Amino acid sequence: MPQSSALDEETARAELYGLLAALFYAPPAPELLAQLRVAPTEAPSAGAYLEEPWRALVGAARAADDAAIQDEFDALFGGVGKPAVSVYGSEYLSGFLNEKPLAALREDLARLGLARDAAMPETEDHFACLCEVMRYLIAGDEVEVCNLTQQQAFFARHLQPWTERLCDALAAQALPFYAALAGFTRAFMAVEAQGFDLLD
């Protein structure tokens, strides 16, 4: 049934945003990596655009142990001082942290009825946080907020303008798992952008 297929696609989109949020926010938990390593790599339809980058990501997870992937995460995003790769939208959009793009994001989140958890150390423009917002806008129950119009507007304003540069920065570091993640993220965001373009 077409409706069931559409629901399956929306569920898959929400789950992929959730996966990206988890992989970018912290070193992946062993349980998450275990699931990723046994994930199917054949797309339901041959030649699907995401099939090859997904296969590369699963392959990179299978080729490395948990400690190696944690080391990659720490080398890219951790350490003292400026990390090798920034995951904050404001830095890509304005050159600085906590700038106007973050203020604009906070206004939009407030309009959507969303607010940062006080216990969370990261600002709202962290890539993982933005992916969580998209996941909510796809899978949430508040139909006046969780709909394609809101998804399209949020994506166009807060993710699309800088995600490509994040992926470029990650790929340039040439660490196997996160380079594969950059490739998958780039492909997924391209599919999302194309899908939203079809709405216009």
Side-chain angles (χ1 to χ4, degrees):
M1 293 184 346
Q3 187 179 12
S4 172
S5 173
L7 287 173
D8 289 348
E9 188 175 319
E10 292 304 283
T11 300
R13 289 179 61 224
E15 287 178 351
L16 286 175
Y17 273 113
L19 176 65
L20 293 180
L23 292 175
F24 276 92
Y25 188 72
E31 301 79 24
L32 176 58
L33 289 174
Q35 289 176 336
L36 189 56
R37 289 179 182 121
V38 298
T41 55
E42 298 296 322
S45 53
Y49 185 70
L50 291 179
E51 184 175 20
E52 203 48 52
W54 175 253
R55 185 177 289 135
L57 178 60
V58 172
R62 291 172 179 170
D65 62 24
D66 293 8
I69 293 173
Q70 168 141 7
D71 288 346
E72 285 193 29
F73 184 93
D74 292 342
L76 291 166
F77 310 120
V80 178
K82 189 174 171 65
V85 175
S86 174
V87 287
Y88 295 96
S90 292
E91 195 160 341
Y92 290 92
L93 296 171
S94 71
F96 301 96
L97 293 172
N98 302 320
E99 282 291 319
K100 288 180 181 176
L102 179 57
L105 170 61
R106 285 175 172 159
E107 287 176 11
D108 284 351
L109 291 174
R111 191 174 46 75
L112 294 169
L114 301 173
R116 174 172 161 257
D117 186 330
M120 191 180 76
E122 310 295 350
T123 51
E124 298 90 330
D125 61 336
H126 190 295
F127 182 71
C129 300
L130 298 173
C131 287
E132 279 294 341
V133 173
M134 285 298 295
R135 187 174 72 86
Y136 169 72
L137 294 178
I138 296 166
D141 295 327
E142 306 289 331
V143 289
E144 65 277 8
V145 168
C146 303
N147 56 59
L148 276 171
T149 301
Q150 298 288 5
Q151 293 167 37
Q152 181 184 35
F154 190 87
F155 180 87
R157 190 168 189 197
H158 301 297
L159 276 165
Q160 193 171 12
W162 66 277
T163 301
E164 185 84 14
R165 281 180 280 168
L166 168 62
C167 293
D168 288 346
L170 267 183
Q173 296 294 316
L175 297 179
F177 179 77
Y178 278 90
L181 179 60
F184 179 76
T185 303
R186 190 193 310 276
F188 177 62
M189 293 297 170
V191 169
E192 286 287 279
Q194 186 176 39
F196 289 133
D197 286 346
L198 294 174
L199 296 177
D200 293 330

